[in-house]
């Protein structure tokens, strides 16, 4: 490929060579799978998502194609270090966190379980920002991941579509009385597809992730522009390319709503075009039968404009009546909710939707009218609730309500989360449509998150119970027989130790901090959010620091607190927390009284690749959200699968982890979600009392207020004021005591190595339930009604 001899080749050259070889194998199977779908015409599922956080692909494509081991051996033989070659790939950050990574795990499981399922998303030119710490503060650098050629994508210009935005809609009556909608002065954008293969695990199935890129439409006139228009055109092109320009790094802020809507409509319009074209070309039946062949899962409300867009196509382009179109549409869409945080529930101002997608606004308005009427007429018991159920209310369009009304299925992502949707957040809708609501507890692909990233552990498992667990992860429970088997537990220990050593090396290389490899690796890795309570974690660290300063001989098990987290660029408080953790680190790590017992490490730029380094080395998994707030969590599952014990609240999937492993094998603490809700209702929580009555809390808060940490005076007094003036809405002070006590139990438990290892093994043994293969199986039979591809 590069007309170089092996001795002159670089890791990068090898990365491209190995990718090309892998692609040869993949392409053959990709074509076969496509032909199969065209001929057999199975019902297909399309997973629409604004985010796909796929991670690096070379290693997982090799693994899934069955060439990983031979490639590792060959590279080594040729004098290359495989890890260095794989590291050449730029990790595409096309997602924010849990929601985007879930979509990627689902694609892996769909292909592996031979389901005809494909992803549609956006090929952002800039993914999630690169995080650097300067002076302990987060700064954001653009992530131009396409700088070098990306070997996994194929551009398909012959399958590009024109998408129209804005303009005016004219309603005309045809002679036969039907209506025609004509558009004037619209902005046209070309949706250019880039296909990425999704490789099933050693089964020759290759599905597709199609990512759309926005390009200017080149008209004949434009091509022969005169000079005076040149700059105008450049600007216009630039604004079009903006549509797939950046991933919104925000899961909270209000900025850039217009562009965000444009992105959403762009994804939805292009994807539906493709889905309907394929249906027409392959199935060749009336679109009346569309629901028999197509099901569309919308990943949160972000792609929910697909509902009015399909209505538009069916009515305006295909000539179906409203009633027929609605019947078809509501049999095609299924909606997954991923959060109940009100800040994250999408609501768009009417005027914005009206100006960007005028025809869709008309349709949404009609959906709303008919929906409200049907409540009034058919469900008198809900009449008083119409205002809180209406799709359009208070000048805004409520996308979650639109998604519920327009879908046949609404699912939550863990048992508690679904329960909360049914009984609180969406209780009126649950009364109206009880059979739409269902739970699908999240999962993770054990291939990437165990087999690939922790090969030593995977090998130990296979040596112990045989390799069948790889295909049937539930069989990991066979490990339970070894829960007291000391020789096995010692091997487990040794592996954890080796993984910790590797991470320690990485930490030293990247931060200069030397950590104790024997210490407890206490890990919290996730987006920075108040509800996730990184602040509670660092308060515990400060508490330990204060204790050790009082009594340097205090007998505590040495710990390394490891953090990884990005804050949304506009989330001021989250950024203060980052600065606080970094500041505490800079004090603790160099204080001779404590540095042998405590270390605090905040690793920069947390992303999929970094998660792959940290997770195999974790001893303790921090899952400490305010109960009721974390829909599921998926990092909790990844760490459990790699033998970490969880310290956590009864929230999200932690509850399901606890129910499997049992109380002795998990550290649960804190308020339960019912108690949290009760406090919100009765207003009886008084953060001030905890501030005044718990000396440990008083001390910490005063240290923040008085500038004990940080040299620029009272840097963290904002945190002090914020907690007290908002009455601590996430119950950090309330849960502090229980958290500290439970951490003491962790400290004690770690001292009895054998017992700890046994708990670790029990966690691994029960983690098979959290394979996304199980989740996908449940979606396939419970929602999608699709069949496996039989070879
Ligand atoms: C909202 C927005 C709003 C505007 C800008 C961009 C943006 C991006 C994401 C979101 C919603 C994020 C919702 C989310 O990620 N939820 C997480 O989903 C995981 C997978 O189901 C779940 O494990 C986590 O508990 C949940 O927080």
């Amino acid at each position: 490929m590069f007309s170089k001899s092996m001795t002159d080749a670089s890791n990068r050259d090898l990365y491209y060579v190995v990718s090309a070889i892998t692609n040869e194998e993949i392409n053959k199977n990709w074509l076969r799978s496509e032909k199969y779908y065209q001929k057999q015409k199975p019902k297909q599922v399309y997973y629409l998502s604004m985010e796909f956080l796929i991670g690096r692909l070379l290693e997982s494509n090799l693994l899934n194609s069955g060439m990983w081991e031979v490639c590792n051996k060959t590279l080594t033989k040729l004098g290359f270090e495989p890890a260095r070659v794989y590291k050449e790939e730029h990790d595409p950050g096309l997602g924010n966190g849990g929601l985007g990574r879930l979509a990627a795990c689902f694609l892996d499981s769909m292909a592996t379980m031979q389901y005809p399922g494909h992803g549609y998303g956006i090929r952002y030119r800039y993914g999630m920002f690169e995080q650097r710490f300067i002076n302990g503060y987060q700064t954001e650098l653009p992530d131009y991941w396409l700088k070098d050629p990306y070997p996994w994508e194929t551009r398909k210009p012959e399958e590009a579509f024109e998408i129209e935005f804005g303009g005016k809609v004219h309603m005309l009556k045809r002679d036969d009385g039907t209506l025609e909608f004509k558009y004037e002065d619209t902005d046209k954008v070309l949706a250019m597809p880039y296909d990425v293969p999704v490789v099933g695990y050693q089964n020759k199935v290759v599905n597709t992730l199609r990512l759309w890129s926005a390009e200017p439409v080149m008209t004949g006139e434009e091509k022969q522009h005169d000079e005076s228009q040149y700059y105008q055109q450049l600007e216009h092109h630039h604004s079009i390319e903006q549509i797939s320009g950046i991933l919104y790094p925000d899961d909270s802020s209000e900025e850039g709503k217009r562009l965000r809507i444009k992105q959403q409509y762009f994804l939805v319009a292009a994807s539906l075009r493709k889905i309907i074209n394929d249906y027409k070309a392959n199935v060749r039946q009336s679109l009346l039968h569309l629901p028999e062949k197509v099901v569309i899962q919308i990943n949160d409300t972000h792609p929910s404009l697909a509902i009015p867009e399909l209505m538009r196509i069916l009515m305006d382009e295909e000539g179906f009546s409203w009633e027929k179109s609605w019947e078809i549409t509501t049999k095609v869409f299924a909606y997954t909710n991923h959060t109940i945080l009100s800040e994250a529930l999408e609501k768009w101002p009417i005027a914005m939707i009206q100006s960007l997608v005028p025809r869709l606004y008309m349709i949404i308005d009609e959906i709303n009218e008919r929906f409200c009427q049907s409540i009034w007429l058919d469900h008198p018991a809900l009449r008083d609730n119409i205002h809180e159920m209406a799709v359009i209310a208070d000048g805004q369009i409520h996308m979650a309500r639109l998604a519920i009304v327009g879908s046949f299925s609404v699912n939550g992502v863990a048992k508690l989360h679904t329960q909360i949707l049914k009984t609180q957040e969406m209780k009126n809708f649950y009364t109206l449509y009880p059979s739409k609501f269902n739970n699908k507890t999240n999962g993770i692909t054990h291939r990437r998150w165990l087999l690939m990233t922790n090969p030593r552990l995977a090998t130990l498992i296979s040596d112990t119970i045989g390799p069948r667990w790889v295909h049937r992860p539930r069989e990991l429970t066979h490990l339970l027989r070894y829960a007291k088997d000391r020789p096995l537990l010692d091997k487990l220990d040794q592996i954890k130790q080796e993984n910790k050593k590797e991470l320690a090396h990485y930490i030293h290389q990247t931060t200069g901090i030397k950590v104790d490899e024997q210490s407890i690796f206490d890990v919290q890795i996730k987006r920075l959010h108040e509800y996730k309570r990184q602040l509670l974690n660092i308060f515990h660290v400060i508490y330990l620091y204060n204790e050790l300063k009082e009594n340097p001989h205090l007998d505590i098990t040495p710990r390394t607190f490891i953090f990884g987290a990005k804050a949304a660029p506009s989330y001021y408080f989250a950024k203060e927390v980052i600065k606080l953790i970094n500041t505490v680190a800079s004090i603790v790590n160099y204080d001779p009284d404590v540095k042998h017992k405590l270390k605090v490490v905040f690793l920069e730029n947390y992303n999929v690749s970094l998660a792959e380094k940290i997770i195999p080395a974790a001893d303790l998994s921090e899952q400490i959200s305010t109960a009721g707030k974390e829909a599921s969590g998926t990092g909790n599952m990844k760490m459990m699968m790699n033998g970490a014990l969880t310290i956590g609240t009864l929230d999200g999937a932690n509850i399901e982890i606890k129910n499997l492993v049992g109380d002795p094998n998990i550290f649960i603490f804190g308020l339960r979600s019912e108690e949290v809700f009760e406090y919100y209702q009765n207003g009886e929580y008084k953060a001030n009392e905890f501030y005044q009555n718990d000396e440990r809390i008083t001390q910490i808060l005063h240290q923040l207020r008085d500038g004990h940490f940080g040299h620029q005076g009272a840097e963290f007094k904002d945190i002090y004021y914020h907690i007290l003036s908002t009455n601590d809405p996430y119950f950090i002070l309330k849960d502090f005591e229980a958290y500290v006590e439970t951490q003491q139990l962790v400290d004690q438990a770690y001292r009895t190595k054998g017992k700890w290892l046994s708990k670790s093994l029990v966690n691994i043994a029960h983690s098979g339930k959290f394979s996304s293969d199980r989740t996908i199986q449940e979606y396939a039979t419970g929602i999608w009604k699709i069949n496996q591809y039989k070879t």
Side-chain angles (χ1 to χ4, degrees):
M1 273 176 79
F2 300 104
S3 53
K4 277 189 193 174
S5 69
M6 219 24 113
T7 43
D8 295 333
S10 64
N11 286 323
R12 161 142 315 202
D13 296 333
L14 262 291
Y15 162 68
Y16 281 107
V17 169
V18 177
S19 299
I21 296 169
T22 313
N23 266 327
E24 261 183 61
E25 175 67 17
I26 293 173
N27 284 335
K28 183 169 85 192
N29 294 325
W30 203 355
L31 207 65
R32 253 185 78 249
S33 298
E34 254 167 33
K35 288 272 180 287
Y36 175 91
Y37 297 141
Q38 281 166 13
K39 266 180 78 183
Q40 302 292 320
K41 317 181 200 325
K43 183 176 182 184
Q44 311 215 28
V45 56
Y46 299 96
Y47 199 83
L48 259 57
S49 177
M50 290 286 281
E51 308 188 3
F52 286 93
L53 200 47
I54 54 183
R56 291 186 182 132
L57 290 185
L58 176 53
E59 226 179 329
S60 78
N61 283 348
L62 281 167
L63 172 69
N64 288 7
S65 312
M67 309 194 295
W68 189 43
E69 278 174 36
V70 75
C71 181
N72 288 338
K73 279 188 194 142
T74 310
L75 283 172
T76 311
K77 212 165 152 187
L78 292 170
F80 290 85
E81 211 177 297
R84 292 195 175 207
V85 173
Y86 303 144
K87 219 177 63 187
E88 288 294 326
E89 180 165 351
H90 194 120
D91 181 351
L94 307 184
N96 272 284
L99 167 140
R101 182 55 231 175
L102 185 76
C105 285
F106 281 6
L107 294 181
D108 183 90
S109 285
M110 286 191 278
T112 297
M113 304 191 66
Q114 324 214 138
Y115 282 116
H118 309 283
Y120 284 101
I122 293 179
R123 181 180 178 268
Y124 301 104
R125 235 167 326 109
Y126 293 89
M128 175 57 29
F129 63 81
E130 187 185 325
Q131 179 193 54
R132 294 266 178 85
F133 295 142
I134 297 184
N135 245 328
Y137 291 103
Q138 167 175 293
T139 53
E140 300 98 23
L141 300 175
D143 165 52
Y144 188 49
W145 70 288
L146 293 165
K147 187 163 75 241
D148 298 312
Y150 184 60
W152 308 112
E153 65 179 11
T154 311
R155 178 182 163 100
K156 299 262 173 79
E158 65 288 356
E159 294 192 51
F161 300 117
E162 256 183 44
I163 308 295
E164 293 184 79
F165 286 95
K168 291 194 201 80
V169 190
H170 299 285
M171 194 161 60
L172 310 167
K173 226 183 190 124
R174 299 197 190 89
D175 292 344
D176 63 358
T178 59
L179 295 176
E180 184 180 345
F181 293 87
K182 284 214 159 142
Y183 305 91
E184 195 185 27
D185 292 335
T186 57
D187 283 323
K188 295 185 179 57
V189 180
L190 197 67
M192 180 63 70
Y194 286 77
D195 285 356
V196 177
V198 180
V199 184
Y201 183 69
Q202 301 182 9
N203 63 0
K204 301 201 183 295
V205 174
V206 179
N207 290 338
T208 303
L209 167 59
R210 171 162 286 201
L211 299 176
W212 300 101
S213 177
E215 294 182 3
V217 179
M218 287 294 191
T219 61
E221 290 158 44
E222 272 200 39
K223 280 176 194 152
Q224 19 176 294
H225 53 67
D226 64 60
E227 198 117 331
S228 68
Q229 289 171 346
Y230 180 76
Y231 289 101
Q232 223 183 325
Q233 253 183 46
L234 267 189
E235 217 166 285
H236 180 63
H237 289 180
H238 181 72
S239 84
I240 282 167
E241 286 161 354
Q242 283 268 341
I243 293 175
S244 56
I246 62 149
L247 165 80
Y248 273 77
D250 239 67
D251 40 19
S252 56
S253 100
E254 299 282 306
E255 290 160 51
K257 279 190 174 176
R258 278 182 72 87
L259 184 55
R260 176 88 180 152
I261 298 171
K262 280 193 191 176
Q263 293 187 329
Q264 296 185 349
Y265 181 66
F266 175 73
L267 164 67
V268 151
S271 305
L272 278 179
R273 267 267 109 82
K274 165 73 176 160
I275 292 168
I276 288 175
N277 279 2
D278 279 0
Y279 173 87
K280 286 182 172 172
N282 298 329
V283 182
R284 307 214 214 153
Q285 278 184 338
S286 154
L287 284 163
L288 281 174
H289 299 284
L290 188 70
E292 294 159 37
K293 294 292 182 187
V294 167
V295 52
I296 301 176
Q297 190 72 39
I298 54 181
N299 200 18
D300 215 292
T301 54
H302 316 154
S304 55
L305 286 175
I307 292 164
E309 174 69 359
L310 182 58
M311 287 295 287
R312 185 190 69 76
I313 295 171
L314 293 170
M315 295 189 300
D316 299 0
E317 296 182 4
E318 304 290 334
F320 289 107
S321 66
W322 178 278
E323 289 75 14
K324 269 288 160 230
S325 303
W326 188 244
E327 196 186 321
I328 298 169
T329 299
T330 51
K331 282 183 187 162
V332 162
F333 290 104
Y335 154 59
T336 305
N337 174 281
H338 293 270
T339 181
I340 55 162
L341 291 188
S342 51
E343 319 86 270
L345 290 184
E346 292 189 298
K347 298 182 229 29
W348 303 124
I350 289 177
M352 241 182 233
I353 295 289
Q354 221 167 7
S355 72
L356 286 172
V357 277
R359 178 61 185 138
L360 291 206
Y361 177 71
M362 298 164 80
I363 293 170
I364 296 169
D365 194 34
E366 183 70 20
I367 292 173
N368 181 49
E369 283 300 316
R370 290 180 186 234
F371 172 66
C372 292
Q373 265 206 35
S374 78
I375 297 180
W376 186 261
L377 296 175
D378 308 334
H379 303 273
L382 285 170
R383 278 182 191 176
D384 287 348
N385 303 315
I386 289 186
H387 182 76
E388 33 182 314
M389 299 177 79
V391 174
I392 304 178
D394 304 320
Q396 295 194 302
I397 305 180
H398 295 251
M399 302 311 277
R401 303 179 193 169
L402 175 64
I404 299 170
V405 174
S407 303
F408 68 87
S409 162
V410 177
N411 77 280
V413 290
K415 278 182 191 149
L416 174 69
H417 172 58
T418 302
Q419 204 49 37
I420 292 172
L421 291 180
K422 285 181 179 176
T423 59
Q424 326 231 350
E425 285 332 284
M426 299 179 171
K427 68 167 188 287
N428 292 324
F429 286 99
Y430 181 55
T431 308
L432 186 59
Y433 311 119
S435 61
K436 283 193 188 185
F437 285 77
N438 64 93
N439 177 247
K440 297 287 169 280
T441 297
N442 282 166
I444 56 166
T445 167
H446 61 286
R447 287 167 290 278
R448 178 178 288 262
W449 295 106
L450 174 52
L451 212 46
M452 185 182 106
T453 57
N454 200 347
R456 288 186 273 254
L457 179 57
T459 306
L460 177 67
I461 295 171
S462 294
D463 289 347
T464 309
I465 61 170
R468 274 170 45 123
W469 66 274
V470 174
H471 288 276
R472 300 169 195 272
R474 287 282 189 136
E475 293 190 5
L476 284 171
T477 51
H478 292 170
L479 286 169
L480 288 173
R481 272 183 271 147
Y482 299 86
K484 299 231 153 60
D485 182 308
R486 198 60 214 227
L488 177 77
L489 295 179
D490 285 340
K491 285 184 199 150
L492 183 63
D493 188 30
Q494 205 185 329
I495 287 167
K496 184 61 84 181
Q497 221 41 63
E498 286 167 35
N499 293 341
K500 285 167 76 173
K501 195 176 174 157
E502 280 182 9
L503 181 60
H505 179 72
Y506 177 82
I507 290 172
H508 185 235
Q509 292 247 301
T510 52
T511 67
I513 303 169
K514 281 212 158 104
V515 305
D516 173 1
E517 290 164 16
Q518 304 299 321
S519 65
I520 304 175
F521 278 23
D522 178 331
V523 175
Q524 188 171 21
I525 41 174
K526 48 185 82 250
R527 282 301 285 265
L528 216 138
H529 247 288
E530 283 166 278
Y531 84 83
K532 296 178 187 280
R533 300 201 293 190
Q534 281 92 351
L535 201 51
L536 178 57
N537 187 341
I538 200 68
F539 277 14
H540 172 237
V541 177
I542 297 174
Y543 158 74
L544 289 176
Y545 171 74
N546 291 338
E547 289 289 289
L548 282 166
K549 289 303 279 183
E550 272 290 300
N551 174 11
H553 301 294
L554 195 71
D555 177 28
I556 67 165
T557 311
R559 282 211 208 203
T560 303
F561 293 90
I562 297 167
F563 292 87
K566 284 176 180 168
S570 60
Y571 194 168
Y572 170 76
F573 190 74
K575 290 181 147 182
E576 279 296 294
V577 174
I578 290 181
K579 171 66 179 169
L580 174 62
I581 297 171
N582 279 325
T583 305
V584 171
S586 69
I587 292 169
V588 167
N589 295 346
Y590 303 101
D591 186 322
D593 290 342
V594 301
K595 70 176 189 186
H596 298 294
K597 291 181 174 149
L598 299 184
K599 283 277 156 63
V600 180
V601 177
F602 201 145
L603 291 171
E604 265 174 348
N605 201 35
Y606 179 60
N607 61 9
V608 173
S609 304
L610 186 52
E612 291 171 0
K613 288 201 186 63
I614 299 172
I615 289 169
D619 291 313
L620 187 65
S621 158
E622 297 272 354
Q623 306 300 335
I624 60 177
S625 51
T626 311
K629 301 281 182 198
E630 189 71 271
S632 162
T634 44
N636 47 1
M637 303 168 183
K638 291 166 197 164
M639 283 196 268
M640 170 199 196
M641 193 174 270
N642 283 274
L645 307 199
T646 301
I647 181 165
T649 48
L650 286 174
D651 200 14
N654 300 350
I655 298 174
E656 290 161 70
I657 294 178
K658 179 199 109 132
N659 290 342
L660 282 168
V661 301
D663 290 319
N665 300 305
I666 190 164
F667 300 94
I668 296 292
F669 73 96
L671 288 175
R672 296 159 179 261
S673 64
E674 307 88 66
E675 297 169 311
V676 169
F677 291 125
E678 228 167 87
Y679 275 128
Y680 284 141
Q681 300 235 293
N682 64 25
E684 278 168 16
Y685 175 52
K686 301 276 181 298
N688 232 309
E689 288 173 9
F690 289 85
Y691 164 46
Q692 309 214 328
N693 300 336
D694 187 327
E695 286 171 11
R696 300 164 297 184
I697 295 177
T698 317
Q699 186 183 5
I700 296 167
L701 286 178
H702 285 176
Q703 286 171 328
L704 295 182
R705 186 192 60 189
D706 301 338
H708 189 266
F709 301 109
H711 356 270
Q712 285 116 300
E715 246 211 287
F716 301 114
K717 62 177 185 294
D718 283 359
I719 296 182
Y720 165 87
Y721 284 119
H722 181 81
I723 291 198
L724 295 176
S725 70
T726 57
N727 194 35
D728 182 23
Y730 298 101
F731 300 95
I732 291 169
L733 307 189
K734 171 86 193 162
D735 275 346
F736 178 78
E737 177 157 31
Y739 183 56
V740 168
E741 281 170 7
T742 309
Q743 286 287 21
Q744 279 158 3
L745 298 180
V746 171
D747 178 302
Q748 289 301 320
Y750 198 76
R751 297 173 188 221
T752 326
K753 240 334 172 17
K755 275 197 182 160
W756 180 277
L757 291 166
S758 174
K759 293 175 202 289
S760 167
L761 189 78
V762 171
N763 272 271
I764 299 167
H766 285 293
S767 68
K769 163 166 178 187
F770 299 108
S771 166
S772 42
D773 293 0
R774 185 266 314 149
T775 313
I776 286 302
Q777 187 57 46
E778 291 178 8
Y779 274 91
T781 53
I783 301 177
W784 301 336
K785 316 287 180 202
I786 55 170
N787 298 316
Q788 281 166 307
Y789 165 142
K790 295 273 178 261
T791 35

